[in-house]
Amino acid sequence: SGSAVSDLEVEMKEVEGHLWHLRYPLTPLAGETAGEHPLDHLVVATTRPETMLGDTAVAVNPSDPRYADLVGQTLTLPLVGRTIPIVADDHVDADFGTGCVKVTPAHDPNDFAIGQRHGLPQITVMAKDGTMNEAAGRFAGLDRFEARQAVVAAMEAEGLLVKTEPHRHSVPFSDRGKVPVEPLLSTQWFVRTEPLAARCRAALEQGEPRFVPERWSKVYRDWLTDIRDWCISRQLWWGHRIPAWFVVSQTGGVITEATPYVVARDEAAARAEAEAAYGAAHAAAGQELVLEQDPDVLDTWFSSGLWPFSTLGWPGEPGGSEPADLARWYPTSVLVTGFDIIFFWVARMTMLAGAFLPEAGPPFGDVYIHGLVRDEHNRKMSKSVGNGIDPLLLIERYGADALRFALVREVAGAGQDIRLDYDRKSDTSGTVEAARNFANKLFNATRFALMNLGGETPASLGAPDPAALQLSDRWILSRLARVNAETAERYNSYALGEAAKGLYEFAWNEVCDWYLELIKRRLQVAADLEGVDREAALADQRTARQVLAKVLSELLLMLHPLLPHLSEELWHGLTGAPVASFLALQPWPEVDIAALDGSLEAAFAELIEAIRVVRNLRAVAGLKPAQPAPVRFITGRAELASLLQAASADITALTRAAEVVVWSPQETAAGGSERALAGVCGELQVLLPIEGLVDLDALRSRLEKDLAKAQKEIHGLAARLANPNFADKAPPAVVAECRANLAEAEAQAQLARQRLAELS
RNA sequence: GGGCGAUUAGCUCAGAGGUAGAGCACUACCUUGACACGGUAGGAGUCACUGGUUCGAUUCCAGUAUCGCCCACCA
C-alpha cells in the first residue's frame, strides 16, 4: 500500500510459517583466533530471516547464565559482515528457543524498543513497496519473500543454517491490502492522545457518554486506557489533505527532516505565518520563500471523528460567532452505532470533541450499540468478505418497512447480534416475511376500519361517552393505555425489540383477533330496525366506531418508528390528514390513565379462555364450523357468571352458539343430567348438549388431558405447600396464591373425573 | 495470555426468582363481507453440564464444556 496504517487496521492472522535457526559467529577477542573460544557462535531463531540484513545486535536475558559473560562482546553478522553487539535486555525470554534474539530495530516494534534502550542504530533494509533496498547489499531489489528464500539459501551455503522448524505464529495483515504488513520506520504526523483520552475517561467516570448496553462502556474505557499516540497521516491520494506547509526554500527546495513547517487554515494564512517567521532571512539571502503543502492526507477516522463539527459547524471560526446549528444541537442526544467502531469512531469523536469544545462534554449523551447482522455461518457481514445481503432484494420482495421491522424486532436482546434466516438461493427470509405479513395485517385492519367508519375520522367522531362503553370497549381501551405506557418506556430505554414485539402482539392478538371480531356485529346496524331500537343501535355503532378509530390511530402512531411508510400512509387514510402533515410530527398519544383497569383485563382474559374452551370442544367433537350448538356455562363464581351473562351476545357471535346459558351448580343439579360435550377450565364447566353428534373418543381424550394437566399441577403445588419452609419463608401472597391455585386445580380435576365417569 | 457474549421447541430467537414463550415450519378443519401474506383448534422443549445461594433456580452466583467475538510486541 505504501502507506502508514493504524494498528486497528491490522488483523493478526495465525499462519503456518517456519522458524529458522541461524548461527551468528562471535567476533574473536583480541589475541584470540576464530574457533578458539569454547563458545564461538550464538544461534538465533527467526520467522523473517530477510530482516537479519538489518540486524544491529543480538539480545539475551540479563539473568541468563549461559550468556552472561558474552554480554558486551560482539558478533559478526553473516552475509553482511557487520560487527554487532550482544546486549542484555529483559524483553528476551530465556526459555524460548536458544534464548538469543536477533535485533532489527528498523523492522520490528519490539526490536525498535530494544534498540532505543541500548542506543542501537536503525538500518532500514526494505523499501515501501516491499522490496529490499540498497542497504540489503546483494539482496537489493528482491521482493521481501524472494529475499527470505535467498537469505536462507545463502546462510545454508555458508553452513550457518542450523535447522528449519515448522512454526505456527501470528502475522499482521493489512485489512485493506490483505497482505502481511511490514513494520518500517517513517516520519508521520501523530496526535498526542493521552491528554484527550484522560478527559474522556474522566467524563466516563461521570457517566458520559452513557452506553446502552452498559457493558460496552468497559470496552470504550479499556481502549482509552494506556492508549498510544495516534498516527494520523496516510500516504494516499484521497482524503483530507494535511494542512501543514513546509518552507522548502529553507532546505534547498525539498522536504527533509530538517525542513521547517507551518500549520494553518489555508495556504494564504500559512504564507503569512511563514513570512513572519522566515521572510526576513529569505530577503536577506535574496531568496523567494517557497511553500509546499504536505502531500499526506488524514486518516479517514480522523476525518470521521470530526463528524459533530462537519455536520453542525466549527467552533471558534475566525471572526464569527458559534454556528447556530452547533449552538442549538450540540451535544446531540444519542449516537446509534455498532460495537465494531467504538474505537474507530466513537472514541475518536469524543477525543476530538474534547479537544475543540472541552467544556461542552461528549458530543452525544447516549451511545446505543446495536447488534450486527451476521450471515448464515455467523460471520459478520462485510464488504471485503462479500457475504453481505443486498437489502434491496429483501425490500423488493417484502417491502422496506418489513425489513426494518424484522431487524428491529430481532434486536431485543440488548445489542445481541442478529443471524438473519436469509436463504441466498431464493432471496427469502422467514423473519422478514413474518414482518411483511404483519404489515399486511395492519393494512387490512385499516381497510376494515375505513369500510366501517361511515366516512368519519377519529377527529370527527370524537371521544366516546364513557357511560356508553361496552365491556369489550373498556377492555381494549385499558389495553391500549397499558401498551402505550409500556411502549413509551421501551422506546425510552432503547428496548426497541421489546417495543416492536409488544406492539405486534397487541395489534394482532388483541385488536385484530378479538376487538375487531367483537365489534363486527355492532358496526352493522340491521336495516329492519326501527324506532328506539334503531336509535340505540346507531348510538352503539357510533361508540364502536369511536373506540376503533382511537385504537387504530394511536396504534399507528406508536408503530410509526418501526413501520414509517406504512403507518404514515394508513394514518393519512384513516384521519384524512392533508398530504403536507406528517404522522412523524404528531406528539406521542397521551396515556389515558382513567381507562386502565387491571381487574377488567383479568376478567376479559377469563372470557377469552371460556370462548376458547367452547371452540375447542366444538373442534374436538368434530362440529362443522357453521353448525350452531347450544352453550352452557356452569360456575359457582358469581362475578364470572355475571361476566359471561353480560357477554352472551359476544359469545354467541364468536362461538356460533345457538343459545348461551349460565348456570350455578345448584341450577345444574336441578336441571337433571343431560348428555353433552363437556370441558373444564379452572372452576368453569362448559357443556355443549348436542346428543348424537359426538365423537366420544375425542371427547374422552380431551377430558383425560385436562385431568392429567390438573393432576400434574396438584402434584407440584401440593408438594410445595407440604414443605414447611415454604409456608414459613415465602411471602404470604405467594402462599395464598399457591393455595388458591391448588383449590382450583382440585376442583378442575374433580369436574373432569365426574364428566369422564358420565361418559362411560 | 486477558476480556466479553452465546448455549431455551425441527429452525431463527425472546423471556423472567414462583407451573416455559413468539415467528417460521408441522397436524386437522375452514375460500365466514378486513386479511389464505388469513382464521380456528392442536402437537412439539431435562431451558448445555456440575455445584452453590434460596422455601423455591430454566432465571442469581461459581466452575466446566462447546461455539463466537474483541484486545494483546514473545523472536
Side-chain angles (χ1 to χ4, degrees):
Chain A
S1 300
S3 174
V5 296
S6 155
D7 285 338
L8 290 178
E9 294 166 272
V10 172
E11 189 187 351
M12 300 301 286
K13 280 192 198 169
E14 288 267 304
V15 300
E16 299 293 345
H18 298 279
L19 199 53
W20 285 277
H21 295 252
L22 306 176
R23 179 179 300 168
Y24 286 11
L26 275 160
T27 311
L29 291 171
E32 283 183 347
T33 54
E36 194 176 304
H37 194 277
L39 185 58
D40 66 351
H41 66 271
L42 292 180
V43 174
V44 298
T46 180
T47 55
R48 293 187 299 153
E50 69 281 8
T51 63
M52 71 166 285
L53 303 171
D55 282 1
T56 55
V58 166
V60 298
N61 190 283
S63 57
D64 191 334
R66 291 173 292 179
Y67 309 115
D69 62 327
L70 296 179
V71 173
Q73 294 195 36
T74 60
L75 298 153
T76 304
L77 184 62
L79 308 184
V80 180
R82 183 160 57 237
T83 298
I84 59 174
I86 298 168
V87 300
D89 196 282
D90 284 326
H91 170 259
V92 179
D93 178 357
D95 296 330
F96 185 93
T98 58
C100 301
V101 181
K102 60 188 277 304
V103 182
T104 322
H107 293 286
D108 183 278
N110 292 319
D111 292 5
F112 179 83
I114 295 174
Q116 294 279 298
R117 289 193 284 272
H118 298 277
L120 300 174
Q122 301 156 343
I123 299 176
T124 298
V125 295
M126 217 178 274
K128 283 184 182 175
D129 63 357
T131 62
M132 307 309 287
N133 70 9
E134 61 282 356
R138 58 178 150 129
F139 301 95
L142 288 178
D143 172 80
R144 54 184 168 156
F145 298 125
E146 294 168 356
R148 178 169 300 173
Q149 301 306 323
V151 165
V152 170
M155 289 296 281
E156 187 166 24
E158 299 200 14
L160 296 172
L161 177 65
V162 180
K163 61 175 171 177
T164 304
E165 294 176 320
H167 183 60
R168 189 170 176 80
H169 63 127
S170 291
V171 173
F173 278 70
S174 160
D175 265 354
R176 198 190 310 270
K178 303 295 166 199
V179 293
V181 290
E182 294 295 337
L184 200 67
L185 298 174
S186 62
T187 303
Q188 305 287 341
W189 295 96
F190 283 81
V191 166
R192 190 180 305 287
T193 44
E194 177 50 25
L196 303 179
R199 192 182 280 127
C200 291
R201 294 195 304 266
L204 191 65
E205 291 290 313
Q206 307 303 311
E208 293 180 338
R210 181 173 74 108
F211 279 81
V212 180
E214 198 278 332
R215 63 188 149 91
W216 293 111
S217 67
K218 189 171 180 294
V219 173
Y220 170 79
R221 192 195 58 222
D222 288 353
W223 191 73
L224 288 168
T225 305
D226 298 327
I227 191 171
R228 294 191 195 180
D229 285 340
W230 175 15
C231 174
I232 56 166
S233 45
R234 296 289 183 274
Q235 290 70 53
L236 313 169
W237 61 265
W238 61 95
H240 289 152
R241 198 158 168 193
I242 288 174
W245 281 263
F246 290 94
V247 189
V248 290
S249 44
Q250 283 284 97
T251 50
V254 293
I255 299 173
T256 72
E257 296 286 317
T259 310
Y261 59 88
V262 293
V263 174
R265 285 175 180 268
D266 52 38
E267 182 155 10
R271 180 159 297 278
E273 227 174 282
E275 286 288 355
Y278 306 101
H282 277 73
Q287 243 187 333
E288 195 188 343
L289 187 142
V290 181
L291 291 182
E292 191 176 319
Q293 189 176 358
D294 192 312
D296 288 359
V297 298
L298 291 166
D299 173 16
T300 187
W301 293 109
F302 185 96
S303 300
S304 304
L306 296 169
W307 181 86
F309 306 122
S310 309
T311 52
L312 299 174
W314 292 82
E317 284 282 6
S321 56
E322 203 166 78
D325 283 348
L326 190 67
R328 170 70 180 83
W329 298 108
Y330 188 97
T332 60
S333 46
V334 57
L335 173 75
V336 180
T337 191
F339 63 80
D340 53 334
I341 51 177
I342 288 175
F343 308 142
F344 282 123
W345 196 37
V346 181
R348 263 69 187 270
M349 280 197 279
T350 57
M351 286 198 298
L352 290 177
F356 294 116
L357 279 178
E359 303 307 317
F364 25 75
D366 293 350
V367 179
Y368 175 61
I369 302 290
H370 58 248
L372 268 37
V373 181
R374 295 188 175 273
D375 71 5
E376 58 272 40
H377 305 299
N378 206 25
R379 290 175 310 184
K380 176 177 149 184
M381 287 188 183
S382 74
K383 278 180 285 191
S384 47
V385 178
N387 60 340
I389 292 172
D390 182 353
L392 293 177
L393 292 173
L394 285 167
I395 287 170
E396 192 178 346
R397 186 176 293 277
Y398 301 115
D401 279 3
L403 178 58
R404 179 190 183 92
F405 190 85
L407 291 177
V408 173
R409 191 171 177 227
E410 288 295 310
V411 300
Q416 215 49 51
D417 287 352
I418 303 166
R419 189 152 28 147
L420 197 64
D421 58 343
Y422 180 68
D423 183 335
R424 277 175 204 280
K425 289 197 184 75
S426 58
D427 293 319
T428 56
S429 159
T431 304
V432 184
E433 185 174 328
R436 188 274 315 266
N437 293 350
F438 179 54
N440 186 253
K441 191 76 177 175
L442 290 170
F443 178 89
N444 282 302
T446 306
R447 186 166 71 169
F448 171 79
L450 290 175
M451 289 166 64
N452 286 284
L453 290 181
E456 299 222 57
T457 67
S460 72
L461 284 162
D465 172 10
L469 294 175
Q470 296 213 4
L471 180 70
S472 54
D473 297 329
R474 286 188 286 124
W475 168 71
I476 201 68
L477 289 173
S478 179
R479 290 296 305 141
L480 177 70
R482 200 174 302 283
V483 168
N484 180 332
E486 286 170 0
T487 304
E489 167 56 26
R490 287 165 177 165
Y491 279 145
N492 281 334
S493 59
Y494 302 105
L496 304 182
E498 291 289 294
K501 273 179 226 175
L503 289 170
Y504 178 99
E505 285 166 15
F506 175 65
W508 200 315
N509 302 338
E510 300 189 295
V511 176
C512 290
D513 285 354
W514 291 96
Y515 189 67
L516 291 191
E517 293 304 324
L518 284 167
I519 62 172
K520 274 178 179 172
R521 67 191 165 77
R522 296 165 61 197
L523 292 169
Q524 301 299 324
V525 173
D528 57 359
L529 279 181
E530 283 175 13
V532 288
D533 286 347
R534 182 167 179 79
E535 291 301 313
L538 285 171
D540 186 50
Q541 181 193 49
R542 185 167 182 83
T543 301
R545 284 175 172 175
Q546 288 168 320
V547 175
L548 172 62
K550 177 181 167 69
V551 169
L552 202 52
S553 61
E554 288 191 14
L555 177 62
L556 291 173
L557 244 169
M558 294 190 286
L559 280 167
H560 184 258
L562 309 171
L563 296 155
H565 307 97
L566 179 72
S567 58
E568 188 77 58
E569 176 70 12
L570 295 181
W571 181 79
H572 276 268
L574 191 65
T575 61
V579 179
S581 74
F582 285 95
L583 174 56
L585 299 177
Q586 296 301 307
W588 185 261
E590 254 181 76
V591 177
D592 184 356
I593 303 286
L596 285 171
D597 186 341
S599 58
L600 172 69
E601 288 179 39
F604 208 86
E606 282 196 290
L607 173 61
I608 286 174
E609 209 37 56
I611 289 172
R612 288 215 164 109
V613 173
V614 176
R615 285 170 167 173
N616 177 265
L617 281 178
R618 292 179 54 106
V620 162
L623 283 182
K624 290 280 176 225
Q627 182 180 342
V631 174
R632 310 232 187 296
F633 292 112
I634 302 167
T635 179
R637 277 176 52 211
E639 69 273 30
L640 179 56
S642 64
L643 172 77
L644 294 168
Q645 202 71 259
S648 67
D650 289 336
I651 295 167
T652 302
L654 296 184
T655 65
R656 289 275 176 168
E659 58 167 346
V660 176
V661 176
V662 184
W663 282 339
S664 70
Q666 293 77 17
E667 288 170 310
T668 311
S673 70
E674 185 180 25
R675 295 285 296 185
L677 304 178
V680 287
C681 155
E683 291 165 274
L684 176 70
Q685 286 186 81
V686 180
L687 303 182
L688 268 61
I690 39 163
E691 205 84 38
L693 286 166
V694 184
D695 179 344
L696 284 179
D697 287 339
L699 184 59
R700 188 175 291 113
S701 72
R702 153 84 206 196
L703 282 167
E704 276 163 357
K705 206 186 107 192
D706 285 347
L707 179 60
K709 193 179 157 208
Q711 280 172 331
K712 189 183 164 203
E713 206 175 324
I714 290 166
H715 183 76
L717 291 168
R720 207 195 298 177
L721 284 164
N723 181 349
N725 288 327
F726 177 67
D728 291 348
K729 300 195 180 172
V734 171
V735 178
E737 190 189 336
C738 195
R739 290 220 166 85
N741 288 344
L742 180 61
E744 191 180 310
E746 279 169 344
Q748 175 153 5
Q750 177 55 32
L751 293 173
R753 263 189 226 102
Q754 189 184 322
R755 285 295 166 189
L756 273 169
E758 285 168 15
L759 276 182
S760 54

